[in-house]
Amino acid sequence: MSSPAAVEFAVRFLEADEINALLLRAGSLPGADLRMLMYYATAVPIGEAVTKTTTDIGRELGLSTTSASRSIGRLAAAGWLELSHSAVGSRFYVLGRAALGIETDEKDEVAGEDGQLAKVHQLRPRG
């Protein structure tokens, strides 16, 4: 009997019907955002982070670094991408729940009394 940690999962890319469903769900996204999302959907297996920098991805897609960065930010904010990890000032993302067609139930989220997950406040010097 093997331990649960020893279980290996098969590496799996999105299949054609899943990519088609993603394209139909994301069809109203602006062009740069849609191109970026489709890059993330096809570059690596499901659940793996794309480890290229925003600049490199943008260059491959014919986008400026600024445009690529803004697209990634919008996609992450909308749940199409999720932050995997950060390293040396770069952020790396995986496909998010929206991209995979997974419904989120807000009741399952851990939230404060006001319903927000977290608040970020800008720190300003006194004076």
Side-chain angles (χ1 to χ4, degrees):
M1 184 164 119
S2 64
S3 68
V7 175
E8 291 187 32
F9 294 98
V11 173
R12 186 173 94 74
F13 284 86
L14 289 176
E15 295 181 13
D17 61 330
E18 294 171 310
I19 293 171
N20 183 265
L22 171 59
L23 184 57
L24 294 175
R25 280 193 310 277
S28 64
L29 290 174
D33 293 5
L34 185 58
R35 289 167 50 196
M36 186 65 70
L37 179 60
M38 295 311 289
Y39 181 89
Y40 274 84
T42 58
V44 296
I46 297 170
E48 289 189 22
V50 172
T51 56
K52 290 185 178 182
T53 65
T54 302
T55 301
D56 290 339
I57 296 169
R59 187 176 300 124
E60 288 184 37
L61 296 176
L63 302 171
S64 68
T65 300
T66 301
S67 180
S69 180
R70 287 181 182 160
S71 287
I72 290 172
R74 288 189 297 265
L75 292 169
W80 294 103
L81 299 178
E82 292 178 6
L83 181 64
S84 170
H85 63 281
S86 298
V88 193
S90 294
R91 293 180 179 197
F92 302 98
Y93 294 86
V94 297
L95 283 180
R97 291 177 173 269
L100 297 172
I102 300 171
E103 296 289 326
T104 57
D105 185 3
E106 291 183 24
K107 292 181 277 185
D108 291 340
E109 301 285 344
V110 177
E113 290 178 15
D114 60 358
Q116 293 187 2
L117 296 176
K119 289 184 181 179
V120 177
H121 298 278
Q122 183 68 29
L123 298 177
R124 295 189 179 121
R126 293 182 188 192

